[in-house]
Amino acid sequence: MKSHDLGNLSSLRKPTEKVVNKIEVLPLSTMDDRIRIAAYRAIYSRPGLDRYALQAVPPIHIIVKSGHITLTGMVGTEMEKNLAGIAARGVFGSFSVTNDLRTEG
């Protein structure tokens, strides 16, 4: 492609009109940190989920807000999603677990 072709292509693209920032900065909490670490250990030490711990960026994201755990990210199967939820529910001190993990299949 030539430079004038690229300019024509960019003119066909609709500009972004609005960006919605949904990033929330959670307050510092030693209790939430303890729960997050315990959930990480419970999930990634579980047979069937331990293989995910070896990845550079583990695919199961653990969010803890005021003692409530939310799991997000991607796992391979529905069974792995359920295993992660069960492991997180066993974490002492947490009030609830929301399992928002998605499966590849």
Side-chain angles (χ1 to χ4, degrees), residues 15-62:
T16 303
E17 294 179 15
K18 185 177 181 182
V19 174
V20 179
N21 182 356
K22 292 185 177 183
I23 296 174
E24 178 182 357
V25 178
L26 298 176
L28 295 176
S29 167
T30 55
M31 182 63 108
D32 284 353
D33 288 342
R34 189 196 62 73
I35 292 170
R36 188 177 305 103
I37 292 167
Y40 181 92
R41 289 180 180 153
I43 291 169
Y44 287 113
S45 67
R46 191 132 183 144
L49 298 175
D50 52 352
R51 67 185 176 102
Y52 292 119
L54 301 175
Q55 296 180 11
V57 178
I60 301 172
H61 307 287
I62 303 164

